[in-house]
Structure formats: C-alpha cells, structure tokens
Amino acid sequence: MAGQTLTLTNLEKVYFPECGISKGELIQYYTEMAPYILPQIAKSPFTMVRYPEGIGGASFYQKECPAQAPSWVERFRDPHSRQGLTYVICDRLATLIYLINLGCVEIHAWASTRERPDYPEWAVFDLDPDPPSGSLEALRVARWLGEILLELKLKFLVKTSGAAGIHILLPLAPHYTYAEVQRGIQGVCRFLAGQRPADCTLERSVKKREGKVYLDYLQNGRGRTMAGTYSVRPTPLATVSAPLCWEEVITGVRTEDFTLRNMKERMAQVGDLSQVMEDKSDFSLLLHYFT
C-alpha cells in the first residue's frame, strides 16, 4: 500500500454471524469502496468504534490514536481537549485498512477538518424514527425537509443511516461555526415540527416522542459523529449507510436492502451519489429564514 506495510490478523473470523461475513470480507469491502469514502473523511479526526470479536461481542469507543499505531498514520492533537486527545486522520487506504483490522466496523469522522476544526464542512438533519415508526416514516419526513431545501435551491444528500434512520447532509463552505450550523438546522426542524406535529418532534425525552420521527439537530456539534456515507453498520445483515436518489426518497425504499454484499452492484447502477457533497450550500439562507 504505497510503501506502507500492514499485518492483517484473523481474516477468517466471522464478524456478522447471521450472514456469515468475515473480517476479511469487511476489509475487502472497504478496500473497494476507499476511493469513494476517503475523499469525504481524509482531513477529519476519526473516532473508532471497535468490535474486535465481531458485532456479537463487546464494542467500545476509542478517540485516542493507539500508541502502537504505525508512524505513517497521521495524527491530530485537539487543542480544545482537556485530556489532550490525539485523533487518527484517515487520509489513505493503508490507514483505513489499519482501522478496520482493529475491529472498526463503522466509519465515524468529524464534520470539520484538522485545518479548521471549529468550522464544519457539512450539516446534518438526523431523522431518528421512534417505534412503531420506522424507515418509511423517516423517509416521509426526509421528503418534507428536502422540499424545503429544494425551494431554497440548496444542495443536499439523503442517505440511509444503515438502520431505521435517515440522514440529510448539506455540504458547506467552512465559514460557519458549529453553533451557527446547529442553530440553523434547529430552526428548520422547529418549523417542520410545528407544521407536522403528529409526525415529527424535537422532544428529547424518549417517553414523549413515541411513534414520531425525532429531529436530532444536536448532532451538529463539535466532535459529534455518525456513520458516514458507505459505512457498514453493526447489524445482522451488514447494512450500509447508502446515498439515495431523490426518486427513491419519494417512492420509498427498504433501508435493509442496502448491504455490504450488494453495494458494488448498486454503485454500478447509480454511480457515486455522494458526489453532490462536492458542491456547497448557501447556509446563510437557513440562518436568514429560520433563526
């Protein structure tokens, strides 16, 4: 890998027992998807969520770069961290595979970069359906939000979370602080919840949002992460956080149909839908109209 040497271990270990996917197959998936994943995370601090025994075993978060990480692994020391945390920067294939070999099933990176850590390069509407609501209800809310964004002529990407939720990402020029971005997203969410109170809510109490789609604007915070585009999720079917066509948002899809084993075929059919993130949305419009 471009001069870097890696020793991969336990490639036959089954990480997803229900569908028989091994650690080696997971590494193969990320190797093939690296050209689409790396451009989105290559400059951002990476948070590890490790499943060393597969998704059926214990998992843990790890922000600190492992002490034994190879010297060629790029690092970022967060100047605002009281603990002096040093994060991994996943800027190349070798680093990505190193992290997967450690048991990182998912891709979790900041919205901001090491160069401008206080200014996110994307904003997110995180739509989390509370049972008995599910992915179809979340997609319906995504359609309503998308109609607002289309009216403002803003660029955005709708993707499955890889579970029941839906994410809407807005690509940003890094001119706005996390506080400003959170305030703008909260304003849109508050407006929609006021228009559709039977369907969605900003209520943080789980007991008070039963059956509704929770609009989690708080995900727009410094250091907060979520499963990235094309990230595998620790689900029985090894589902993937998959970008959607707008037509799929309108007609509805089964989010569990997007998996590690069929993503290559989907890419051949629809291409890399995440390319929309290369454009930038005029976030000042949200701040003007919704705050």
Side-chain angles (χ1 to χ4, degrees):
M1 293 186 186
Q4 290 88 34
T5 300
L6 279 175
T7 300
L8 304 181
T9 58
N10 301 316
L11 296 182
E12 300 303 318
K13 180 179 290 185
V14 175
Y15 265 27
F16 297 82
E18 186 165 315
C19 53
I21 291 175
S22 67
K23 180 181 181 181
E25 190 172 351
L26 180 68
I27 288 175
Q28 181 64 32
Y29 168 83
Y30 277 116
T31 300
E32 294 174 350
M33 295 299 293
Y36 311 105
I37 292 173
L38 288 175
Q40 302 175 53
I41 66 172
K43 297 181 180 180
S44 301
F46 190 99
T47 296
M48 291 168 275
V49 186
R50 296 175 60 180
Y51 295 79
E53 301 302 323
I55 67 167
S59 63
F60 60 95
Y61 279 79
Q62 182 177 344
K63 297 181 179 181
E64 183 73 28
C65 176
Q68 69 274 21
S71 60
W72 43 259
V73 170
E74 288 292 322
R75 295 159 168 84
F76 166 72
R77 186 176 178 84
D78 183 4
H80 291 181
S81 169
R82 295 179 180 179
Q83 298 81 23
L85 284 173
T86 297
Y87 290 81
V88 169
I89 300 293
C90 186
D91 62 346
R92 64 191 78 179
L93 175 60
T95 302
L96 177 61
I97 301 310
Y98 168 73
L99 292 168
I100 305 307
N101 190 58
L102 289 179
C104 294
V105 170
E106 303 175 283
I107 301 298
H108 284 264
W110 288 20
S112 53
T113 66
R114 64 189 302 179
E115 288 83 6
R116 292 177 64 81
D118 300 318
Y119 298 87
E121 295 199 338
W122 46 265
V124 60
F125 293 93
D126 184 7
L127 313 182
D128 184 14
D130 192 85
S133 291
S135 58
L136 291 180
E137 287 76 15
L139 276 170
R140 184 172 57 193
V141 173
R143 186 175 75 248
W144 294 332
L145 282 170
E147 289 168 352
I148 294 172
L149 301 177
L150 288 170
E151 183 70 21
L152 295 173
K153 296 180 171 57
L154 298 181
K155 301 292 184 179
F156 62 93
L157 172 69
V158 182
K159 70 183 184 74
T160 68
S161 69
I166 297 292
H167 300 150
I168 301 179
L169 303 181
L170 277 70
L172 306 176
H175 303 321
Y176 305 95
T177 65
Y178 275 103
E180 289 173 316
V181 170
Q182 186 177 114
R183 188 167 72 250
I185 298 300
Q186 179 185 12
V188 180
C189 291
R190 192 174 300 282
F191 170 79
L192 184 61
Q195 295 291 310
R196 306 278 187 172
D199 301 284
C200 51
T201 180
L202 275 69
E203 178 57 63
R204 296 182 67 183
S205 171
V206 175
K207 293 181 180 179
K208 296 180 180 180
R209 62 181 194 232
E210 182 177 358
K212 298 183 181 182
V213 176
Y214 175 47
L215 309 178
D216 187 3
Y217 64 88
L218 294 173
Q219 283 287 46
N220 297 279
R222 189 182 190 278
R224 299 289 293 270
T225 67
M226 63 181 188
T229 308
Y230 301 122
S231 174
V232 179
R233 301 304 306 278
T235 61
L237 298 178
T239 49
V240 168
S241 181
L244 300 177
C245 305
W246 183 242
E247 292 77 12
E248 292 175 317
V249 177
I250 295 173
T251 59
V253 294
R254 284 166 43 93
T255 58
E256 61 268 29
D257 287 342
F258 304 108
T259 72
L260 179 157
R261 284 183 169 158
N262 63 29
M263 193 52 50
K264 186 175 181 180
E265 178 182 354
R266 175 170 171 80
M267 294 286 288
Q269 293 173 345
V270 303
D272 180 17
L273 298 176
S274 72
Q275 287 184 338
V276 69
M277 296 298 288
E278 296 177 3
D279 299 323
K280 304 300 177 187
S281 288
D282 185 359
F283 197 75
S284 65
L285 292 174
L286 292 191
L287 292 173
H288 176 73
Y289 288 110
F290 294 98
T291 60

